[in-house]
Amino acid sequence: MILWAALGALALSFGISLLATPLSRRVAFRFGMIDMPQRHKAHARPTPLLGGCAVFAAILGPALLVTAIARIWAATQIPAWIPPALAQHITGAAAKAPFAMGVLAAAAVLHVLGLIDDRKALGPLVKLAVQVAVCTAVTLACDLRVLTVAGEPLSAILTVLWLVTITNAFNFLDNMDGLSAGVAAIVCAALLSASVGVGQLFVPAWLCLMLGALLGFLVYNFPPASTFLGDAGSLVIGFLLGVLSARTTYVQPGQAYWSYGVFVPLVLMAVPLYDTVSVVLLRLRDRKNPMVGDRRHFSHRLVRRGMSQRRAVLTIYLCTGATAISAVLLPHVRSVTAAVMIFAQTLAVLALVALLESSDGKA
């Protein structure tokens, strides 16, 4: 029954995204929310933004509906027609409503921030300040923590840093048709597998909604794209993946080899983090503002080395898939040797990307 509920959530968000994306395109044309080709842009023709509105709606709508129903049923009576396998989780879902509402409210703030920036550039410092404020509020208000063994203050600081970094990583990655949404979908699938493997339900439910929303949007965003996420979408996607990756339990309680699990998010996000770190270093090397867009992303570098945009995107998909598989396997290894091999494989994937983007493009 749980499986069917998960598939239903995925199908619902997929359907909403699939239907809402064309509507968002019409609204974008109506209000002039168009991304014009510029020097640092990869697209050749004016393309509507607001695709992120469709993705967010496909996540927000079902999440609010399910949370409201769970709260009502938990406070009154669970209908008799609800299967017992599902009914036993209603109370737990209702108890998590404050956390869900806090995360959705934070995502909504970032969504509005992105809409404003898509309409008229706010500047990198303003965007970063709002992101830090939102991520700090979620960390404290929703009691979200990574590496709790590090102690409360340090854990809180690391959580904010993680959320801000992943939010910007997927915002940076939104530089080519289908790239950010596709990589996010792969990460969602890997997180879904990892969280289901340790018996979680709350996180997988959110991931099903995200995965469905992203797949519905990719129908229109895969190269050549007819619509873009915009900052209103990429900021939300990155933020939610940061939250859900922090919320995921990567190992079963009591496992002696739990320490490997703390590296799962880093392995899983290796490709987006590689892009973020490399482009920031390149901009700093050339004394440029690291938050100002340009064509230094590794997707652009792959294209400059002779790949088509579609081939570059597919190459990055495959690299992300390879690190995602490693991340899912990492919590289940039982020896240092096996863990080292997984880390080595991840580094090999990143080295392969570095070789591809630094080759001379000759046969």
Side-chain angles (χ1 to χ4, degrees), residues 14-359:
F14 176 84
I16 293 173
S17 181
L18 191 68
L19 295 175
T21 300
L23 177 61
S24 72
R25 291 178 59 211
R26 290 195 289 270
V27 173
F29 280 117
R30 171 68 177 82
F31 290 97
M33 297 289 285
I34 308 298
D35 195 3
M36 304 299 293
Q38 299 177 28
R39 183 178 58 82
H40 69 280
K41 302 286 186 176
H43 59 291
R45 65 180 186 275
T47 305
L49 296 165
L50 299 187
C53 293
V55 173
F56 188 43
I59 299 169
L60 179 66
L64 289 176
L65 178 63
V66 171
T67 301
I69 291 174
R71 294 281 287 184
I72 292 171
W73 285 351
T76 55
Q77 184 177 4
I78 300 174
W81 54 267
I82 299 295
L86 191 59
Q88 64 179 328
H89 301 294
I90 298 297
T91 303
K96 290 181 173 62
F99 178 87
M101 292 302 98
V103 170
L104 288 173
V109 173
L110 293 178
H111 184 63
V112 173
L113 172 70
L115 284 174
I116 296 172
D117 189 61
D118 287 335
R119 183 65 176 178
K120 184 177 181 180
L122 291 172
L125 292 181
V126 173
K127 290 171 60 178
L128 183 60
V130 175
Q131 291 169 23
V132 171
V134 168
C135 293
T136 301
V138 167
T139 298
L140 299 178
C142 297
D143 194 28
L144 182 67
R145 296 291 188 276
V146 300
L147 292 177
T148 53
V149 294
E152 187 70 18
L154 181 56
S155 176
I157 292 171
L158 291 174
T159 303
V160 174
L161 180 61
W162 175 254
L163 295 180
V164 172
T165 299
I166 300 304
T167 298
N168 280 288
F170 281 88
N171 184 228
F172 279 21
L173 207 59
D174 189 29
N175 58 71
M176 197 166 285
D177 296 359
L179 186 54
S180 186
V183 169
I186 295 169
V187 171
C188 274
L191 274 178
L192 181 59
S193 176
S195 56
V196 169
V198 294
Q200 288 187 283
L201 292 175
F202 180 73
V203 170
W206 278 71
L207 289 167
C208 284
L209 291 178
M210 278 198 71
L211 183 57
L214 290 167
L215 292 177
F217 174 71
L218 276 169
V219 172
Y220 306 95
N221 186 239
F222 189 77
S226 61
T227 186
F228 290 159
L229 275 173
D231 281 8
S234 59
L235 291 175
V236 170
I237 288 171
F239 170 73
L240 290 178
L241 285 177
V243 169
L244 294 174
S245 62
R247 188 76 177 184
T248 300
T249 300
Y250 297 100
V251 293
Q252 294 283 5
Q255 287 180 323
Y257 44 94
W258 64 270
S259 57
Y260 303 135
V262 301
F263 297 104
V264 171
L266 292 175
V267 174
L268 179 60
M269 305 286 189
V271 172
L273 289 173
Y274 171 85
D275 178 58
T276 301
V277 171
S278 64
V279 77
V280 166
L281 290 177
L282 286 172
R283 290 169 182 172
L284 290 175
R285 183 196 66 183
D286 295 337
R287 298 182 180 180
K288 303 291 184 181
N289 189 327
M291 299 295 290
V292 175
D294 56 27
R295 301 194 68 171
R296 299 168 189 259
H297 295 275
F298 75 105
S299 55
H300 296 139
R301 301 196 294 267
L302 289 175
V303 170
R304 284 198 295 271
R305 297 304 181 184
M307 287 190 181
S308 66
Q309 286 194 28
R310 176 174 290 194
R311 181 165 294 185
V313 169
L314 290 174
T315 298
I316 297 169
Y317 283 1
L318 289 173
C319 292
T320 305
T323 60
I325 292 171
S326 298
V328 173
L329 294 176
L330 183 58
H332 304 288
V333 301
R334 298 177 179 271
S335 69
V336 174
T337 301
V340 169
M341 290 177 67
I342 287 179
F343 296 142
Q345 180 181 348
T346 302
L347 292 175
V349 170
L350 298 181
L352 176 62
V353 172
L355 286 173
L356 286 173
E357 67 177 5
S358 62
S359 66

